[in-house]
Amino acid sequence: MKFVKDLKRTEYSGNLTAQHIGNKVVLMGWVNTRRDHGSLVFIDLRDREGLVQVVLDPNKAETSTAKDFRSEYVVAIEGTVRARPEGMKNTKLKTGAVEVEALRCEILNTAVTIPFQLDDESVNETLRLKYRYLDLRSPRLQNNLMMRHKVARLVREFLSDNGFLEVETPILFKSTPEGARDYLVPSRVNPGNFYALPQSPQILKQLLMVSGYDRYFQIARCFRDEDLRADRQPEFSQIDMEMSFIDVEDILDLNEKMLRLIWKEVKDLDVPKLRRMSYFEAMNRFGCDKPDLRFALEICDLSENINGSGGSGFKVFDDALSRGGIVRGLNIPGGASFSRGQFDKLTDIAKKNGAKGLVWMKQDADGSINSPASKFITPEKLKALFVKLGCTANDCALVVADDYDPACSALSALRLHIGRELKLIDHSKYEFLWVVDFPLLEYSPEAKRWVSRHHPFTSPTDEFFDDMIANNEKTYPKMLAKAYDLVCNGYEMGGGSIRIYRNEIQQAIFKLLGMTEEETKSKFGFFLDALKYGTPPHGGIAWGMDRLVMLLTQTDAIREVIAFPKTAKATCLMSDAPSPVSRDQLVEVGVRLSVQAEKALEDVKDMI
């Protein structure tokens, strides 16, 4: 094999341009396509940088193997770069002005026929995931992963230039409650004990601040055993950072600078100063704490109108307000043409997102308001609500009456659905937002106690320190957190907070969350001890690396920016992971399968 051993690759195929005309080059890659014209064979040679046209003469001894070339064969070519003949240039390719006249060639390896064409976008995703190593040859995924590399490099350079140290934290660590289920790893040398794969390096990066490292970062692997969706995976990467002797403004300012650098270098876009919005403003206007601001559809509150007119007369509206709930709606531009079937679909969306139902309104030709609620609400009051929502004869209104959280959830889902259906979203735009002033706590009816909105290491705002230490439950609903989320186009791209750095406040939080002294000591004793030894004020943020690249590549699914992703059922179709292990392996780590797990395995074997 003369190539590889004696002749080394001089260029990537996709990088050849008119500047290389006259140069002798050695190329290595895959045959993308082959066209046999009898006296000449044309191939498009592909590597990760793109492809170039190569012209081979099979009648010459040095290139006689050209007749044997097939798609996806791995080949090596030595040749001379020349200009393509006039009229034969391909303006769609970076290499379209040139071609390579082959002087000699060699087949480095053959290939069987692949199960799908790499450029066929209609291929079933299940098939593409099964043959992920082939799908990764496609320009689509190669470009996505190269962009991911570029982003990682920019992040490392920016943070290093700003005084951060990259420190790796353990993958095998202690199970601590952080909101999702842990992936557990049994210990062979410590029978009956388990490690947990980290949901985030939260405690460890705070300990680095205790240790005086001042500014830390890593692109960290994290693991959460939770239900998946298009923008989630069981294992993921986050750009994790922590800083000492800072407050909220310092973190927001630094991360805005990093954001601007990434978007300028990757997209050549100048990002203006990011707007800010409180959590409650975001919920009231858009129904969620990560609003998509690429379209202007906003929620309007109808409570004042209803109460001011002595009630609506509609039990659903009046009961919701009497128990402290809300009545709010959306004006849907052009919605007057919606059919009953479309309103039924919108009602289903509202119900799937927690609301008990949906009331719609639209104006008939005679000016009266047509609505399922018209038999309960006087025409005058119905018209007033319609007008309050800003509706005209061409529009319709969608109204939800319920408790605050389910009503907001339903209205947010309706807003996004309408935005997509009516093509209100400008997909060429990036709209960024800092959401701030989150509640510190929220009450869990299931657990019948207060729980952390973010995580138990988030600091309350300064005015609530004394109330926290005094365990003043009356102030819990009012407590705000020094927390912040970075939002882009309806996705939470990053989130963080200023941390609790005083031992007595951290202990008060654990107590508030219903943890006993024994439980606190067992799970967090080492951390509470560390807070006694001079902990600086500190805080940080974590960006979702996968979600960030997904937004930059403008893809629909996070799987498109991960080399070897899992399915929605957390499985790898390529390797069939997770898979059973032998009983000897289980015995070695002291694990016995439950009856349910044994039965599930038998059911799978029967299916096979």
Side-chain angles (χ1 to χ4, degrees):
M1 185 180 287
K2 190 166 184 61
F3 285 94
V4 180
K5 182 179 179 181
D6 298 328
L7 291 176
K8 302 300 181 184
R9 180 172 57 187
T10 61
E11 303 286 345
Y12 281 109
S13 300
N15 289 340
L16 296 178
T17 65
Q19 293 178 341
H20 295 89
I21 291 174
N23 291 0
K24 185 177 284 188
V25 295
V26 176
L27 308 176
M28 298 179 186
W30 287 260
V31 176
N32 192 65
T33 56
R34 171 183 175 275
R35 302 176 298 281
D36 192 338
H37 288 196
S39 59
L40 294 176
V41 172
F42 293 83
I43 69 164
D44 288 333
L45 186 66
R46 187 190 72 244
D47 55 34
R48 75 177 196 195
E49 299 296 329
L51 54 83
V52 69
Q53 178 171 283
V54 180
V55 184
L56 303 105
D57 187 346
N59 297 313
K60 295 181 179 178
E62 296 84 355
T63 56
S64 59
T65 56
K67 284 281 187 182
D68 300 323
F69 282 13
R70 297 291 182 270
S71 292
E72 301 308 314
Y73 275 28
V74 185
V75 300
I77 305 285
E78 183 183 23
T80 303
V81 182
R82 67 187 188 189
R84 285 203 195 189
E86 283 302 320
M88 302 296 288
K89 294 181 180 180
N90 186 345
T91 56
K92 295 180 181 179
L93 288 179
K94 178 183 174 182
T95 62
V98 300
E99 61 187 14
V100 176
E101 180 186 10
L103 303 176
R104 52 180 161 172
C105 65
E106 184 177 331
I107 296 174
L108 302 179
N109 208 345
T110 60
V112 299
T113 303
I114 61 176
F116 56 86
Q117 294 303 308
L118 302 181
D119 58 354
D120 185 354
E121 295 182 3
S122 66
V123 176
N124 180 279
E125 188 182 32
T126 299
L127 186 63
R128 290 197 288 112
L129 288 174
K130 180 174 176 60
Y131 295 96
R132 186 65 169 183
Y133 46 85
L134 295 178
D135 200 23
L136 283 168
R137 292 181 185 177
S138 68
R140 180 189 85 259
L141 287 181
Q142 288 186 337
N143 290 335
N144 288 352
L145 292 182
M146 284 192 282
M147 183 181 288
R148 185 184 179 112
H149 162 73
K150 183 175 183 179
V151 171
R153 180 172 55 79
L154 288 169
V155 166
R156 283 193 164 96
E157 289 174 356
F158 174 84
L159 293 175
S160 299
D161 291 344
N162 280 273
F164 285 77
L165 301 175
E166 185 169 8
V167 181
E168 293 178 332
T169 53
I171 294 296
L172 297 176
F173 194 56
K174 185 179 180 67
S175 178
T176 55
E178 291 194 38
R181 294 185 188 90
D182 287 325
Y183 279 103
L184 300 176
V185 180
S187 170
R188 179 185 59 82
V189 294
N190 297 284
N193 291 286
F194 293 80
Y195 300 104
L197 304 183
Q199 295 184 35
S200 78
Q202 182 60 48
I203 290 177
L204 293 160
K205 64 181 177 179
Q206 288 191 246
L207 291 175
L208 287 170
M209 298 303 102
V210 177
S211 303
Y213 283 80
D214 197 77
R215 291 189 170 200
Y216 136 95
F217 86 95
Q218 72 173 314
I219 298 178
R221 292 297 281 173
C222 303
F223 308 84
R224 293 179 186 174
D225 186 6
E226 58 186 350
D227 295 334
L228 307 183
R229 56 185 189 226
D231 63 332
R232 279 187 183 171
Q233 283 279 297
E235 54 180 312
F236 56 95
S237 299
Q238 63 185 38
I239 303 166
D240 201 57
M241 67 184 83
E242 198 81 2
M243 305 162 65
S244 292
F245 306 109
I246 48 83
D247 206 354
V248 173
E249 290 298 326
D250 302 296
I251 291 180
L252 301 195
D253 180 63
L254 179 121
N255 280 269
E256 279 197 35
K257 289 176 181 175
M258 189 168 81
L259 174 70
R260 291 191 188 97
L261 172 71
I262 292 170
W263 253 260
K264 183 63 178 176
E265 292 293 324
V266 175
K267 306 293 287 186
D268 195 26
L269 293 175
D270 294 309
V271 176
K273 184 172 178 59
L274 271 60
R275 70 181 95 177
R276 297 186 190 181
M277 189 179 295
S278 74
Y279 165 83
F280 290 106
E281 181 185 354
M283 294 296 289
N284 290 339
R285 291 174 61 187
F286 304 102
C288 70
D289 57 7
K290 48 181 184 295
D292 189 339
L293 302 182
R294 290 174 296 173
F295 64 111
L297 206 60
E298 291 194 25
I299 296 167
C300 178
D301 185 59
L302 300 173
S303 306
E304 189 176 318
N305 272 58
I306 293 170
N307 287 330
S309 61
S312 67
F314 185 29
K315 193 174 188 304
V316 172
F317 287 2
D318 297 337
D319 284 357
L321 293 176
S322 67
R323 65 174 183 267
I326 59 175
V327 180
R328 292 183 181 169
L330 291 165
N331 170 10
I332 311 304
S337 62
F338 283 6
S339 66
R340 183 61 65 95
Q342 286 174 292
F343 284 125
D344 289 343
K345 182 178 179 181
L346 294 170
T347 301
D348 288 341
I349 291 171
K351 288 180 177 179
K352 285 178 183 176
N353 285 274
K356 296 180 183 66
L358 175 71
V359 174
W360 54 267
M361 307 176 192
K362 64 179 181 177
Q363 186 170 303
D364 286 337
D366 62 1
S368 63
I369 304 301
N370 181 4
S371 170
S374 57
K375 64 181 75 172
F376 307 105
I377 305 176
T378 64
E380 294 77 19
K381 288 184 178 181
L382 207 58
K383 182 75 172 181
L385 296 177
F386 192 72
V387 171
K388 170 67 176 178
L389 289 167
C391 296
T392 67
N394 295 321
D395 307 330
C396 78
L398 304 178
V399 180
V400 174
D402 214 314
D403 295 332
Y404 187 83
D405 287 340
C408 285
S409 177
L411 287 165
S412 173
L414 289 167
R415 177 180 181 268
L416 288 173
H417 175 79
I418 292 295
R420 289 189 290 264
E421 289 293 303
L422 299 187
K423 295 181 171 51
L424 303 177
I425 302 172
D426 184 348
H427 291 282
S428 68
K429 293 172 66 176
Y430 287 100
E431 289 291 345
F432 301 98
L433 173 72
W434 284 113
V435 178
V436 297
D437 296 332
F438 282 83
L440 180 72
L441 306 165
E442 58 186 359
Y443 190 77
S444 169
E446 295 83 14
K448 294 184 171 54
R449 61 178 177 83
W450 291 93
V451 297
S452 295
R453 176 85 197 186
H454 193 55
H455 57 53
F457 313 106
T458 298
S459 175
T461 50
D462 296 349
E463 66 269 24
F464 292 110
F465 278 10
D466 291 340
D467 287 320
M468 182 63 67
I469 295 171
N471 199 23
N472 185 358
E473 191 167 349
K474 290 181 180 178
T475 61
Y476 291 173
K478 302 176 185 177
M479 286 187 177
L480 297 179
K482 288 188 176 182
Y484 31 81
D485 278 356
L486 178 58
V487 175
C488 176
N489 294 356
Y491 289 96
E492 179 194 331
M493 199 165 70
S497 67
I498 300 299
R499 322 302 186 188
I500 296 169
Y501 66 97
R502 288 168 51 183
N503 179 285
E504 68 273 24
I505 296 176
Q506 187 64 75
Q507 289 204 61
I509 280 281
F510 289 148
K511 184 177 180 181
L512 180 158
L513 297 175
M515 295 176 64
T516 64
E517 286 188 24
E518 293 77 12
E519 188 180 4
T520 300
K521 186 174 181 179
S522 170
K523 293 181 177 177
F524 299 107
F526 71 99
F527 180 65
L528 288 170
D529 284 345
L531 295 182
K532 297 175 184 176
Y533 292 99
T535 302
H538 61 281
I541 191 171
W543 295 40
M545 178 70 168
D546 313 296
R547 202 171 290 175
L548 166 63
V549 182
M550 184 183 81
L551 287 162
L552 286 166
T553 55
Q554 296 180 306
T555 56
D556 295 328
I558 210 164
R559 292 186 293 274
E560 290 290 288
V561 298
I562 297 172
F564 299 101
K566 304 292 190 296
T567 68
K569 292 185 178 180
T571 61
C572 173
L573 297 181
M574 181 184 69
S575 65
D576 288 330
S579 55
V581 297
S582 70
R583 292 190 182 277
D584 288 344
Q585 287 175 284
L586 292 176
V587 169
E588 196 171 31
V589 294
V591 171
R592 177 184 294 171
L593 296 181
S594 68
V595 174
Q596 293 91 333
E598 290 275 15
K599 185 177 186 306
L601 282 176
E602 290 301 322
D603 290 344
V604 170
K605 289 177 183 176
D606 290 343
M607 290 173 64
I608 296 173

